[in-house]
Amino acid sequence: MQEEAKYWYLHDHQLFSVLSREENRALCLIPNFKTVKKNEILYFSHDDEQRLYTIKSGTLKIISVDAEGNETVKEILRSGDLFGQYTFDEMDENEDEYAVAVSDKVVICSFKQNDFENIVKRNPQLAIRYTKLVGFKLKRISNNYSNLMFKDVRTRFALFLKDWAIKEGNGQTKNIVVKNYLTHNDIAGLICSTRQTVTLLFNEFKNAGLIDYTRSEIIVKDVHQLA
């Protein structure tokens, strides 16, 4: 990626927008940019050098693998989201995760953990913005766990669809068309259910006039009616 393109990406990113023009220019020399195509896998949990990743464009799903080799979709990430070593703790050696591109193309920016720590130390405003972004991410994870603990599967499914539609609806609230890049099994993993239950819920919501769907897309009629 050309330096000018790197500059404008960092300048427009919600994290780095607090930096001056000169600071962003200097920052362009540090990150690594990588493009992955649809269904391509990005392994990151066992990198030789721990890295912080952020998405420039496109959509990824993060897959978690347990000790028995069972795979579960952990989260869906979009432009601006962080993943990898986004805290400054040592990564758990037993944690096994990887990312899969679900949009046609995903452009990813990554920093070595040590390099990013040094950048944060030199820029207090950046440190504050980064702390807020990580806090929002951890709060979202906490809310997801809370939903799993205290809400029934139908409500979890409705909240998942609502959140998905809002994030990809560009401000729309009605007749939102979402690219259907997740399998029923993927969604089951995200809401802690089964593929069969997810299929039944899709049919129930379709019959109730809340959604319509095909193999390639889901149409949410009105997000406010979901949950």
Side-chain angles (χ1 to χ4, degrees):
M1 181 179 286
Q2 297 296 318
E3 184 175 329
E4 190 66 17
K6 290 182 180 181
Y7 167 77
W8 284 111
Y9 166 63
L10 296 172
H11 177 272
D12 293 338
H13 193 284
Q14 57 182 334
L15 177 59
F16 303 107
S17 60
V18 297
L19 299 179
S20 67
R21 182 181 181 87
E22 292 72 23
E23 288 170 331
N24 263 318
R25 286 288 183 192
L27 191 61
C28 289
L29 302 175
I30 300 174
N32 176 55
F33 284 80
K34 179 181 178 66
T35 299
V36 294
K37 297 179 180 179
K38 187 173 183 178
N39 296 325
E40 189 174 343
I41 294 174
L42 174 69
Y43 294 101
F44 62 88
S45 62
H46 298 296
D47 284 343
D48 292 335
E49 294 180 300
Q50 294 183 339
R51 304 185 75 94
L52 164 74
Y53 297 83
T54 182
I55 301 173
K56 177 183 183 296
S57 61
T59 307
L60 291 172
K61 60 181 179 181
I62 304 297
I63 309 293
S64 177
V65 185
D66 66 20
E68 285 73 41
N70 299 310
E71 299 185 346
T72 305
V73 178
K74 183 177 178 180
E75 57 182 332
I76 305 300
L77 301 179
R78 300 168 179 83
S79 178
D81 283 338
L82 306 173
F83 67 102
Q85 193 59 24
Y86 58 85
T87 69
F88 294 146
D89 297 327
E90 291 293 324
M91 184 167 277
D92 185 352
E93 293 183 357
N94 296 318
E95 191 171 66
D96 193 2
E97 296 179 347
Y98 63 90
V100 180
V102 295
S103 55
D104 291 335
K105 182 177 74 172
V106 183
V107 180
I108 299 163
C109 168
S110 69
F111 296 82
K112 293 179 183 177
Q113 183 184 6
N114 291 337
D115 288 343
F116 190 76
E117 283 189 49
N118 291 331
I119 296 168
V120 169
K121 287 176 182 177
R122 295 196 303 268
N123 295 275
Q125 284 185 301
L126 178 63
I128 293 170
R129 179 67 63 86
Y130 182 68
T131 300
K132 288 182 178 179
L133 286 179
V134 173
F136 289 145
K137 182 178 179 69
L138 295 177
K139 183 177 181 180
R140 186 170 70 241
I141 292 171
S142 176
N143 287 339
N144 288 341
Y145 279 121
S146 179
N147 288 341
L148 292 177
M149 292 290 292
F150 301 112
K151 298 187 185 301
D152 61 71
V153 66
R154 188 185 188 281
T155 302
R156 296 199 301 271
F157 178 74
L159 289 170
F160 169 77
L161 285 181
K162 183 177 182 178
D163 182 62
W164 193 4
I166 288 173
K167 287 179 177 176
E168 303 200 8
N170 296 318
Q172 293 179 278
T173 59
K174 294 184 178 181
N175 297 316
I176 300 172
V177 179
V178 176
K179 287 186 178 180
N180 192 8
Y181 48 72
L182 296 174
T183 67
H184 287 192
N185 201 51
D186 289 340
I187 296 172
L190 286 163
I191 66 172
C192 199
S193 184
T194 65
R195 180 182 58 79
Q196 293 85 350
T197 298
V198 168
T199 300
L200 290 172
L201 287 168
F202 262 110
N203 291 333
E204 178 188 330
F205 278 47
K206 181 176 182 179
N207 292 335
L210 298 172
I211 64 170
D212 201 357
Y213 69 93
T214 65
R215 287 182 177 272
S216 60
E217 65 183 27
I218 300 169
I219 301 172
V220 177
K221 304 297 182 66
D222 187 340
V223 293
H224 299 301
Q225 292 183 2
L226 285 176

